[in-house]
Structures are given as C-alpha cells and as structure tokens.
Amino acid sequence: MNKPHVLQIGPYPQRDEELLNEHFVLHRYFEIDDRHAFLNRNGNDIRAIATRGDLGADGDLIRSLPALEIIAINGVGFDSVDLKAAKSKGIAVTNTPDVLTGDVADLTVGMMLAQSRRMVAAAHWVFSGDWKNRGDFPLTTRLYGKRAGILGLGRIGSAVARRLDAFNMDIFYSSTSAKSTPQSWQFIKDPAELAANSDFLVMTLAANDQTRHIVNKSVLDALGPRGFLINVSRAANVDETALLDALEKAEIAGAALDVFDGEPDINPRFLKLDNVLLQPHHSSATVETRKAMGDLMRENLLAYFAGKKLLTPVI
Ligand code: 8YV
C-alpha cells in the first residue's frame, strides 16, 4: 500500500519521527519557507495533519487541503485546532489524553512548591555566594495545610487535587458543574469566589471561547496580595495584561506559569519580575510521557488508515 502523506506541523522527538516515517510520507511544514507554493504542489496529496497541542491547525490550512481526512494532535489540548472547520469537512480529530495527566500534575505541584518556597532564588543564593556573604535566605511561604482552588476539575485538575490532598491542603474547585469527589472537596462555581477562598489558585481547565480570560482583574483582586496563581492550562485563560499589572504592583503574591501569550516569545515584562516562576511550556515533557503521547498519536493515525476505530477521538 502507498504510504499516506502527512503534513507535520512541528518537530517531534527523533524516535517518534522515525516511527512515523516507517508508515507515512512526512512533510515537515515547519521547515518550508514558501508554504503557499508547497501547498499548491502537494496539497492534494495530504490526507493527514500531525500536529501538537500548542501548534494546532487553523481553518485556512484545513480548508486548503482537499484530501484531508484526519488531524492527529500530539497533546491533550485541542483549542488551537479549528474544530468547526474540521467538522464541516467531516475530518476526524484525535488527541492524547490520560497518558500525560500524571506528569502535568507532578510539575504543577513542583511549581507550587518552587514558587512558595522560592527554590530558584534560594539556589541562586547558594551559587552566588550570598549564603556565605549575606547569611540566611529570607523566610518563604508554606504550602501544606493551605487552601488550593482548582479551576477546572477534569483529569488533570483531579490529579493535582489528589496530590494536594496529601499535602493536607483544603481543596476547593470550580468546574462547569459539581463533580463526584471526596467529601471534603468543596465546589465553588464562581471563579472570583473560588479565588477569594484560595491561597493557591491552580488553573487546569481546558481552553475554549467561554474560558477566555476567565482569570481577569476581578479574579486576581479576589486572590489578593497573599495569593499565588499557577497556570498549566493555556495562556488565553488569563488576561495577561491584568496579570502583569497585578504582579508588578504586588497585588498578588506571585505566579508560577508554564504557558504564555505568544510563547516562546513571551512578554518581556515577565522577565523583570522577582515574584514569578517561569517555565517553558513543558509540563508533559518527560521522556516517558512524550513517548506515550507519540505512540498514542501514531496509533490513532494507523487505526484510521487501517479502517479501525480511533483510540482517542475528539470529534
Ligand atoms: C505540549 C500541550 O505543548 O498537551 C497539550 O495540550 O500543550 C503539551 O503537552 C505539546 O502538545 C506537545 O506536543
């Protein structure tokens, strides 16, 4: 059988690219300068898009590929794929849920500890000689026993909440509706009210039109000068200008962020702050999880072209 042609939107780990190459003709779209000419020449052959959660596929690209049948995402988030355009053309979309949940939850808790205990600045205190020359590092803020507000209690939010439960934290959460949870977890629907009841407001919600800027100035005001914001979801869920204003004026205690508007070219205002922990969108980026994500994405593509049931369809 002829190998199906696949448009690859961004790089993958070498192993995944090798395995994909065994079954498909991969076109490395991200390395092509004249994309218009490429699509004119090869567009009719492309039957699949292989993309990532952070890169997606927009409506124009989807509409420009007449033979497109499936979009496979290496990632759980599908907010950057134009699902409406895909649906209207009867194109299947798959993602990679579950396999990344544990690593994302681990990094979230790690970011909370690193931020509240100022682990990066403390390490710098040792490296710079400040410990020897200036004495003890300033006191930091406790994590255990505090109040966690989980914004979005899906797979990842629940995994974070379970971990924080073990830190004896009080768990509050907001979601589209109350979930069946351990009895001590409390549902607070309104994000500002959730923030008012949180020492750590943790964003683990999926992104869509309804959640855009769900964390805005009034939510940040409610979180207040002793509250920390943690975002491992999508930058679009926060009003980043309001967040930068609040951080610069110390209207919240700090933020630990894995996602940014325009990443990786992030707003330079972040780089001047000393109350932030900045991470390069890597919460799922362990060897183990990226292997599992690569396998699941490839298995979805193989299932599709073998006429079998998709493993993890979005639509
Ligand atoms: C990565 C992600 O950015 O899963 C997601 O939605 O955003 C991340 O895990 C990326 O998709 C990895 O390929």
Side-chain angles (χ1 to χ4, degrees):
M1 191 189 89
N2 284 341
K3 290 178 178 179
H5 286 242
V6 175
L7 192 65
Q8 184 187 346
I9 304 299
Y12 296 123
Q14 196 187 339
R15 161 195 179 272
D16 292 324
E17 297 204 2
E18 282 167 12
L19 289 168
L20 284 168
N21 269 312
E22 287 176 15
H23 304 279
F24 304 102
V25 178
L26 284 186
H27 297 274
R28 297 165 71 81
Y29 196 52
F30 53 101
E31 287 176 348
I32 294 166
D33 289 328
D34 190 347
R35 293 181 173 180
H36 188 71
F38 169 83
L39 290 176
N40 275 341
R41 226 178 18 252
N42 303 285
N44 288 342
D45 298 330
I46 304 291
R47 297 178 64 193
I49 287 178
T51 187
R52 307 193 322 202
D54 51 339
L55 301 175
D58 64 28
D60 287 344
L61 180 63
I62 293 170
R63 283 184 290 271
S64 70
L65 299 170
L68 185 64
E69 295 166 58
I70 177 167
I71 301 171
I73 308 169
N74 183 310
V76 67
F78 44 82
D79 50 296
S80 54
V81 171
D82 189 333
L83 290 186
K84 230 190 241 163
K87 214 175 198 164
S88 73
K89 291 188 69 188
I91 293 163
V93 178
T94 63
N95 67 344
T96 60
D98 297 316
V99 292
L100 48 65
T101 301
D103 271 339
V104 176
D106 279 358
L107 192 81
T108 307
V109 176
M111 286 166 62
M112 294 171 76
L113 271 172
Q115 174 66 357
S116 61
R117 301 301 304 271
R118 303 194 59 215
M119 289 166 68
V120 175
H124 185 69
W125 195 260
V126 179
F127 273 101
S128 67
D130 279 355
W131 191 19
K132 188 171 68 181
N133 300 323
R134 296 175 64 188
D136 289 342
F137 186 69
L139 300 182
T140 61
T141 304
R142 175 188 288 177
L143 178 71
Y144 84 84
K146 294 280 180 71
R147 299 167 306 164
I150 312 290
L151 191 51
L153 199 77
R155 300 179 186 90
I156 294 172
S158 305
V160 171
R162 281 195 300 276
R163 283 160 173 74
L164 297 180
D165 220 349
F167 282 72
N168 286 338
M169 295 186 79
D170 293 328
I171 309 292
F172 300 89
Y173 73 95
S174 170
S175 231
T176 39
S177 58
K179 302 266 168 92
S180 109
T181 64
Q183 227 183 355
S184 60
W185 299 9
Q186 290 180 52
F187 177 60
I188 302 180
K189 185 152 179 65
D190 180 59
E193 207 183 320
L194 180 73
N197 283 280
S198 303
D199 300 303
F200 294 82
L201 182 63
V202 187
M203 300 175 61
T204 48
L205 70 171
N208 54 45
D209 291 346
Q210 287 72 48
T211 65
R212 186 178 157 74
H213 290 191
I214 192 167
V215 171
N216 54 19
K217 180 162 167 40
S218 33
V219 172
L220 295 168
D221 285 346
L223 185 59
R226 291 158 70 91
F228 292 94
L229 182 77
I230 290 85
N231 190 8
V232 292
S233 64
R234 285 292 189 260
N237 288 332
V238 193
D239 178 343
E240 207 170 77
T241 305
L243 174 60
L244 281 160
D245 290 346
L247 287 164
E248 283 168 359
K249 295 183 201 151
E251 289 169 351
I252 63 170
L257 308 166
D258 190 43
V259 285
F260 303 86
D261 281 339
E263 62 188 44
D265 184 14
I266 70 171
N267 191 318
R269 286 170 69 190
F270 278 116
L271 307 179
K272 298 203 176 85
L273 294 166
D274 64 1
N275 53 357
V276 289
L277 176 82
L278 308 178
Q279 296 288 291
H281 195 155
H282 73 143
S283 63
S284 68
T286 64
V287 172
E288 297 88 344
T289 283
R290 285 294 164 87
K291 181 170 179 285
M293 289 164 71
D295 288 347
L296 185 49
M297 189 195 79
R298 196 178 58 257
E299 280 158 17
N300 271 305
L301 284 170
L302 289 171
Y304 178 84
F305 287 109
K308 293 187 187 151
K309 204 166 161 281
L310 296 172
L311 283 82
T312 46
V314 174
I315 56 170

